[in-house]
């Protein structure tokens, strides 16, 4: 087994390394998606409109569910498979930017997933707005050689065109919803309707041609809607759709409570993680209660909750009335990297630093961002930190022992401390929490590395889950874009979850 980032700097992808073969999988011309481009931000405006003028996704989701039911989808939305009691499946989240970081994941994903029964794609299948013609280079082409079905739950970006393309691809070519009457003028709903982003009339003309890339019988998957349950071997996997704003409507909430009943072990897959960045986000359900209330109910027997949306890996083993539920963030499947160095010292739900896991390691995240801003601001000599310097300053700020040794020669200087502060490096949780939202917006959205990371290491990841009647083994594999990690994907985290 190759070194991981927890072992050596080379295992993290640093140093003089040979670039992987992923470039051979990419189209000859790749549109470089930049989140600094005003046109991109304007196209992705529906989330802001929903927060200002009211969120219509619950109603739209209900219309999709009704249409699917009328077309013959099972009323309980359960996909019943014939998997054996011992089987494996993959989880990969936030994939579809269609550029080098996404394709860099593919070789390792195919290698680690070659004997798996299916994959679950957790959140944001397509960026920036879930358009149908984007599925060619951002879904069908990269995963054309994965020989098993792929199920998906949508993320907020898939909802930016009201989920039409997602439903066509994953829900048996679902037809568009009938148009609704325009809202009454001069109301909040009317303003939202007036400004709402909608798909181009010609969008999807090339979708049938793109489908041919994943057209073999063993690759086909039909799901009953944007949320569903899969009965596979001894477990039930439940996927929920958290829409534009990270909430679920009352109808989906009632369904979630119903399919969660019983002693069969369950794994939740959600577009909005319940624990992330050292904080608890229980995910409200319209009408009362939260998704985490459902997960924590001992009668439902959840053993794990895996969420996308945040583009890295995190794991929180939370004690729930004497049993451990693994809360996982897995959104590192291809989109730009959300920083981990902004996460303060973890202390949430009795989970401390000794229990918390993340990828990339905080030091690697800070070194990555320091190089990024050194290039952008043309201040490389000032901003750029080595991975050892970044690791050392974060260990100092957080009061933790570095996961990977930095060596005796690293001295934390005033410049290093200043760069760490400017880049939002984590510190005291009480102080940092007041600034968490501005830090995330500034360092990982407004100035995201999405338009600048076209060379390794990319710090991408995906999950493999091996199921037996007694346990689920969850492993997080890394993808850096370097040939060494491509040929033998390193394991960044490995936990065995008991089902009994």
């Amino acid at each position: 087994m190759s070194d991981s980032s927890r072992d050596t700097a080379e295992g993290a992808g640093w140093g003089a390394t040979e670039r992987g073969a992923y470039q051979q999988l990419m189209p000859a011309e790749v549109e470089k998606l930049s989140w600094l481009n005003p046109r991109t931000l304007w196209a992705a405006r529906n989330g802001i409109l929903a927060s200002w003028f009211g969120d219509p996704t619950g109603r739209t989701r209900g219309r999709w569910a009704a249409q699917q039911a009328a077309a013959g989808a099972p009323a309980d939305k359960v996909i019943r498979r014939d998997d054996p009691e011992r089987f494996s499946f993959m989880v990969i989240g936030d994939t579809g930017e269609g550029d080098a970081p996404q394709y860099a994941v593919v070789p390792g994903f195919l290698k680690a997933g070659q004997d798996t029964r299916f994959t679950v794609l957790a959140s944001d299948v397509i960026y920036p707005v879930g358009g149908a013609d984007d599925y060619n280079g951002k879904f069908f082409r990269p995963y054309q050689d994965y020989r098993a079905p792929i199920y998906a739950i949508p993320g907020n970006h898939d909802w930016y065109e009201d989920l039409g393309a997602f439903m066509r691809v994953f829900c048996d070519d679902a037809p568009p919803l009938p148009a609704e009457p325009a809202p009454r003028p001069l109301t909040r709903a009317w303003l939202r309707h007036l400004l709402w982003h909608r798909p181009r009339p010609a969008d999807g003309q090339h979708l049938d041609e793109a489908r041919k890339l994943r057209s073999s019988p063993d690759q086909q998957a039909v799901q009953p809607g944007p949320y569903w349950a899969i009965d596979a071997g001894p477990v039930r996997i439940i996927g929920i759709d958290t829409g534009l704003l990270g909430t679920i409507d009352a109808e989906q909430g009632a369904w979630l409570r119903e399919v969660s009943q019983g002693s069969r072990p369950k794994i939740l897959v959600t577009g909005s993680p319940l624990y992330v960045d050292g904080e608890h986000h229980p995910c409200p359900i319209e009408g009362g209660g939260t998704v985490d209330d459902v997960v924590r109910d001992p009668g439902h027997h959840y053993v794990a909750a895996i969420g996308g949306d945040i583009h890295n890996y995190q794991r929180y083993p939370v004690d729930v009335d004497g049993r451990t539920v693994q809360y996982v963030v897995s959104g590192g499947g291809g989109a730009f990297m959300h920083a981990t160095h902004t996460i303060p010292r973890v202390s949430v739900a009795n989970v401390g630093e000794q229990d918390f896991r993340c990828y990339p390691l905080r030091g690697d995240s800070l070194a990555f961002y320091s190089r990024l801003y050194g290039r952008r601001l043309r201040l490389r000599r000032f901003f750029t930190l080595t991975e050892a310097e970044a690791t050392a300053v974060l260990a100092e700020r957080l009061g933790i022992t570095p996961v990977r040794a930095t060596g005796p020669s690293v001295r934390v200087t005033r410049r290093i401390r200043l760069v760490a502060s400017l880049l939002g490096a984590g510190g005291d949780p009480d102080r940092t929490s007041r600034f968490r939202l501005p830090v995330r917006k500034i360092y990982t959205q407004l100035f995201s590395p999405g338009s600048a990371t076209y060379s390794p290491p990319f710090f991408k990841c995906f999950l493999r889950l091996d199921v037996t009647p007694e346990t689920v083994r969850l492993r997080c594999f890394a993808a850096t874009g370097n040939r060494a990690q491509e040929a033998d994907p390193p394991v960044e985290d490995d936990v065995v979850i008991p089902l009994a």
Side-chain angles (χ1 to χ4, degrees), residues 14-76:
W14 298 114
T17 54
E18 183 182 1
R19 189 173 296 193
Y22 65 89
Q23 298 171 98
Q24 300 170 15
L25 306 174
M26 297 172 62
E29 294 185 7
V30 175
E31 179 183 0
K32 294 183 178 181
L33 176 61
S34 172
W35 292 102
L36 301 178
N37 186 328
R39 292 180 60 187
T40 302
L41 296 173
W42 175 242
R45 63 189 179 271
N46 285 0
I48 295 175
L49 294 176
S51 66
W52 288 352
F53 302 119
D55 184 3
T57 55
R59 174 177 171 77
T60 305
R61 187 188 294 117
R63 295 179 67 211
W64 281 120
Q67 179 173 282
Q68 289 299 103
D76 60 4

Side-chain angles (χ1 to χ4, degrees), residues 34-325:
S34 172
W35 292 102
L36 301 178
N37 186 328
R39 292 180 60 187
T40 302
L41 296 173
W42 175 242
R45 63 189 179 271
N46 285 0
I48 295 175
L49 294 176
S51 66
W52 288 352
F53 302 119
D55 184 3
T57 55
R59 174 177 171 77
T60 305
R61 187 188 294 117
R63 295 179 67 211
W64 281 120
Q67 179 173 282
Q68 289 299 103
D76 60 4
K77 299 177 178 59
V78 177
I79 303 163
R80 294 173 172 86
R81 295 178 49 86
D82 60 353
D83 300 300
E85 288 193 329
R86 297 174 183 272
F87 76 99
S88 302
F89 69 101
M90 307 292 283
V91 176
I92 184 169
D94 298 84
T95 53
E97 286 194 356
D99 52 14
Q102 178 178 7
Y103 279 86
V105 177
V106 173
F109 173 81
L110 294 176
K111 187 176 182 67
Q114 60 187 348
D115 61 341
T116 54
R117 303 278 295 190
F118 58 88
T119 285
V120 175
L121 211 166
S123 180
D124 289 339
V125 183
I126 300 294
Y127 293 95
V129 294
D133 282 332
D134 283 337
Y135 271 85
N136 185 0
K138 300 179 181 181
F139 176 73
F140 289 107
R141 184 184 181 107
Y143 311 119
Q144 61 183 312
D145 292 327
Y146 180 68
R147 308 309 301 177
I150 298 177
Y151 304 96
I153 57 168
N156 56 311
H157 287 266
D158 302 302
W159 268 101
Y160 288 163
E161 291 192 347
D162 289 335
L163 216 61
F166 179 97
M167 297 296 293
R168 290 182 64 180
V169 171
F170 294 103
C171 301
D172 202 21
D173 209 15
L177 291 174
E180 289 192 303
R184 187 163 51 88
L186 304 180
T187 61
R188 293 170 72 233
W190 176 79
L191 283 170
R192 183 187 65 219
H193 178 80
L194 188 68
L195 297 171
W196 201 250
H197 172 83
R198 295 175 180 82
R200 294 177 291 105
D203 190 42
Q205 288 185 340
H206 306 292
L207 192 54
D208 288 340
E209 186 67 22
R211 290 182 201 270
K212 295 177 182 178
L213 295 172
R214 282 186 51 85
S215 60
S216 68
D218 57 354
Q219 293 176 309
Q220 302 314 299
V222 174
Q223 59 189 60
Y227 59 94
W228 40 258
I230 298 174
D231 282 348
V235 299
R236 170 170 282 187
I237 304 157
I238 297 175
I240 60 171
D241 168 20
T242 56
L244 281 171
L245 301 181
T247 62
I248 68 174
D249 59 281
E251 179 182 342
Q252 185 181 183
W255 169 86
L256 174 63
R257 294 183 176 103
E258 180 65 27
V259 296
S260 297
Q261 299 291 327
S263 60
R264 186 173 191 160
K266 297 173 186 72
I267 298 169
L268 181 73
V269 182
T270 167
S272 298
L274 303 181
Y275 282 86
V276 60
D277 295 345
E279 296 180 342
H280 184 210
H281 297 270
C283 186
I285 299 173
E286 181 187 20
T290 69
V291 169
D292 201 30
D293 292 338
V294 178
V295 171
R296 297 172 70 91
D297 189 322
H300 295 162
H301 203 144
Y302 277 90
V303 297
I306 303 171
D309 188 52
I310 302 303
H311 306 165
N312 53 46
Y313 173 81
Q314 301 173 44
R315 179 170 65 84
Y316 302 80
V318 177
D319 180 86
V320 179
D321 300 325
R323 61 193 176 91
T324 299
V325 177

